[in-house]
């Protein structure tokens, strides 16, 4: 008896994508099923970067289909495609950038910049084209964390070429000023600088632009919310109550301006002694997940308080590139895939599809 497409679809409904947490048919990842006698070829297209997952997914689907009675040869192709998704109303997309992820925290010192750079590197490791915008005008740290020095070029005299480090495109006020020069600027100058860095950088076909925001809920955050097309925000906190109070303020700010919260990352959640292996919750535990439940926002993951994360970021080779197969890098990659899945589930942006209407005197 010949195999039917319904049998193939039913089999694929029984497999859960570990990243989307739903089956491949419901997630609309199955693009085509071709049947020739008892031979089957299935095309699966993921809407998020998952370079490390393609082969395991292909093997899992192949094994499932081969278990069907009366099946012959099985061919499974798994690919990925990242598209632009909807942003705040009335804000246009930036040329060369498909999606913008704002990484924010209510207070300083929670490891937001380290999380932002490792998140960007993790998305790139999974096969995406990624940029980093250092929006912390007063305290830019991405040049140091990415190990980039020098000044950006301008080929056309109007826009800046992004700098490059570890395969990421990057822009920061830190590339344009000396390391020891303080930015003694008032709010309007800071917001203008952010807009120029965002819009006057010639981003080259970036799937995700990760924006490292300064702490707080001030001018820069408001400018970003009103004038920069943000696809979604990630909130970074530590477990203790004092950090969570401010993280909640940051979360509420994004809700007020209509930017979706993609999830919460808890940093420094657990300390493992490098000498004896003893585990200790120095800053308390479970704060990030409780906050997620309170606001119905996904808890994306927890990262340990580890001296190597700090050392690697300070040396210009963050964890995801200096120890790509280590446990911490795996956590960053799991978080990155989940962030990308949350974006992929959002409504797509079709503004580029519509033709531009030009009215001329005829």
């Amino acid at each position: 008896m010949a195999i039917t497409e319904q049998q193939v679809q039913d089999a694929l409904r029984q497999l859960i994508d570990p990243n989307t947490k739903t089956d491949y048919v419901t997630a609309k990842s199955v693009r085509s099923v071709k049947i020739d006698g008892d031979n089957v070829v299935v095309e699966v297209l993921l809407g998020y970067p998952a370079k490390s997952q393609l082969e395991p997914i292909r093997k899992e689907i192949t094994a499932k289909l081969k278990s069907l009675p009366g099946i012959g040869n099985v061919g499974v192709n798994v690919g990925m495609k990242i598209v632009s998704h909807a942003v705040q109303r009335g804000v246009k997309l930036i040329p060369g950038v498909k999606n913008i992820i704002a990484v924010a925290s209510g207070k300083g010192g929670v490891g937001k910049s380290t999380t932002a750079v490792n998140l960007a590197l993790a998305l790139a490791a999974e096969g995406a084209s990624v940029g980093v915008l250092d929006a912390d005008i007063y305290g830019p740290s991405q040049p140091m964390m990415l190990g980039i020095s020098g000044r950006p070029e301008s080929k056309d005299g109007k826009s800046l070429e992004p700098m490059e480090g570890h395969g990421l495109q990057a822009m920061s006020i830190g590339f344009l000023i000396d390391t020891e020069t303080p930015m003694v600027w008032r709010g309007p100058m800071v917001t203008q600088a952010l807009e120029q860095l965002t819009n006057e950088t010639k981003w080259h076909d970036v799937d995700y632009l990760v924006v490292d925001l300064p702490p707080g809920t001030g001018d820069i955050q408001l400018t970003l919310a009103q004038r920069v097309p943000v696809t979604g925000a990630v909130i970074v906190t530590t477990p203790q109550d004092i950090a969570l109070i401010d993280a909640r303020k940051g979360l509420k700010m994004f809700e007020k301006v209509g930017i979706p919260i993609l999830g919460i990352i808890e940093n420094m959640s657990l300390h493992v002694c490098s000498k004896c292996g003893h585990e200790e919750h120095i800053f308390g535990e479970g704060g990030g997940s409780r906050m997620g439940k309170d606001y119905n926002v996904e808890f994306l993951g927890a990262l340990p308080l580890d001296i190597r994360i700090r050392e690697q970021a300070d040396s210009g080779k963050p964890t995801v590139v200096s120890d790509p197969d280590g446990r911490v890098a795996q956590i960053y990659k799991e978080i990155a895939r989940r962030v990308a899945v949350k974006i992929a589930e959002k409504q797509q942006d079709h503004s580029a599809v519509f033709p531009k209407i030009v009215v001329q005197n005829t």
Side-chain angles (χ1 to χ4, degrees), residues 65 147 160 213 236 240 259 281 338 352:
L65 294 179
L160 293 170
L213 282 171
V236 180
Q240 79 266 44
I259 293 174
H281 293 274
R338 197 61 205 141

Side-chain angles (χ1 to χ4, degrees), residues 250-266:
L251 187 145
K252 294 298 279 184
M253 181 203 71
F254 284 114
E255 280 184 348
K256 273 187 177 175
V257 295
I259 293 174
I261 307 293
L262 301 171
I264 297 163
I265 298 172
E266 187 178 273

